[in-house]
Amino acid sequence: MKVLLVNGSSKSAGCTFTALSEVEKTLNEEGIETEIFQLGPRPVRDCVACGKCAELDNQCVFDDDMVNELIAKAALSDGFVFGTPVYYAHPSGRILSVLDRAFYAGGAAFAHKPGAAVASARRAGTTASTDVLNKYFTIAQMPVVSSTYWNMVHGNTPEEVRKDEEGLQTMRNLAHNMAWLLKCIDAGKATGITRPENEKRYRTNFIR
């Protein structure tokens, strides 16, 4: 079993990474393989709704060595933790652009796999940010993994985040819950329980 942790910050070793590292450490203690996928400072464009991904076998037409790499890694992963810093009470534009394209082009790689959102802020805007990321999970049929408080840490520097004892405890409990759910899913597979079959999709337009 493997969990892919996506760092939606441009800083590879900042506050968001510190939170994800706490999750990763606990997952490893639970026997779960992990990988932190750094979005980093590279330029990334947004989705333009061109629809070309439907013709390209679940690949985004804009091959910037980020989104398609994420889709490929997602296909080989069993669970996900998406971390973001808070910018003006919302997730980073970087992670939103990546997830818009990755979920639109490669949604099958995420479907029915547990997901969790983690936000890092100096002070506020965390609940609004996790709410936005959670919506990717609920439209992709992904179980949402929670903790003993909202999945957030506070601090202006990694050193301050490491002093947020409740926040770090929330990260550890999140990891325990993720590991438990993954093991339950694995046990279900061993008894023959398969993913649910979706009904034929309806797309209702309300303007006639």
Side-chain angles (χ1 to χ4, degrees):
M1 289 177 282
K2 179 179 180 178
V3 171
L4 186 65
L5 302 99
V6 179
N7 183 4
S9 171
S10 59
K11 298 178 180 179
S12 61
C15 296
T16 306
F17 174 79
T18 303
L20 292 176
S21 295
E22 193 73 12
V23 178
E24 180 182 47
K25 180 178 71 174
T26 305
L27 285 169
N28 293 159
E29 292 169 355
E30 288 269 9
I32 306 295
E33 181 185 352
T34 56
E35 178 184 352
I36 294 183
F37 184 76
Q38 305 277 10
L39 298 189
R42 293 173 293 174
V44 56
R45 64 176 303 150
D46 61 337
C47 178
V48 297
C50 66
K52 283 292 183 180
C53 51
E55 304 172 18
L56 297 174
D57 192 24
N58 300 319
Q59 295 287 294
C60 182
V61 69
F62 301 118
D63 193 0
D64 53 16
D65 297 325
M66 186 182 299
V67 171
N68 288 333
E69 182 182 0
L70 175 60
I71 294 171
K73 288 180 179 293
L76 301 174
S77 301
D78 303 291
F80 307 93
V81 181
F82 296 101
T84 183
V86 173
Y87 295 166
Y88 291 93
H90 62 73
S92 71
R94 177 171 305 277
I95 196 169
L96 293 181
S97 292
V98 168
L99 294 188
D100 279 353
R101 290 168 55 198
F103 273 74
Y104 195 62
F110 299 93
H112 299 290
K113 299 175 182 179
V118 167
S120 167
R122 183 188 67 82
R123 186 170 178 87
T126 44
T127 53
S129 296
T130 55
D131 178 61
V132 172
L133 294 184
N134 283 338
K135 287 180 170 62
Y136 289 94
F137 311 148
T138 56
I139 202 170
Q141 306 173 87
M142 299 167 65
V144 180
V145 182
S146 59
S147 185
T148 45
Y149 196 72
W150 293 291
N151 302 341
M152 60 185 67
V153 296
H154 291 273
N156 198 43
T157 64
E159 291 73 26
E160 290 180 359
V161 170
R162 284 190 279 269
K163 294 178 182 178
D164 181 8
E165 295 182 6
E166 184 178 8
L168 293 182
Q169 182 183 65
T170 301
M171 297 300 104
R172 293 191 296 271
N173 288 334
L174 168 63
H176 288 306
N177 289 340
M178 173 69 78
W180 170 75
L181 185 52
L182 287 173
K183 292 172 184 178
C184 287
I185 292 173
D186 196 53
K189 290 178 181 177
T191 63
I193 297 175
T194 59
R195 293 182 177 187
E197 292 286 338
N198 292 332
E199 293 184 7
K200 179 182 177 181
R201 188 172 185 181
Y202 290 100
R203 298 180 70 92
T204 303
N205 298 315
F206 293 98
I207 300 176
R208 295 285 187 257

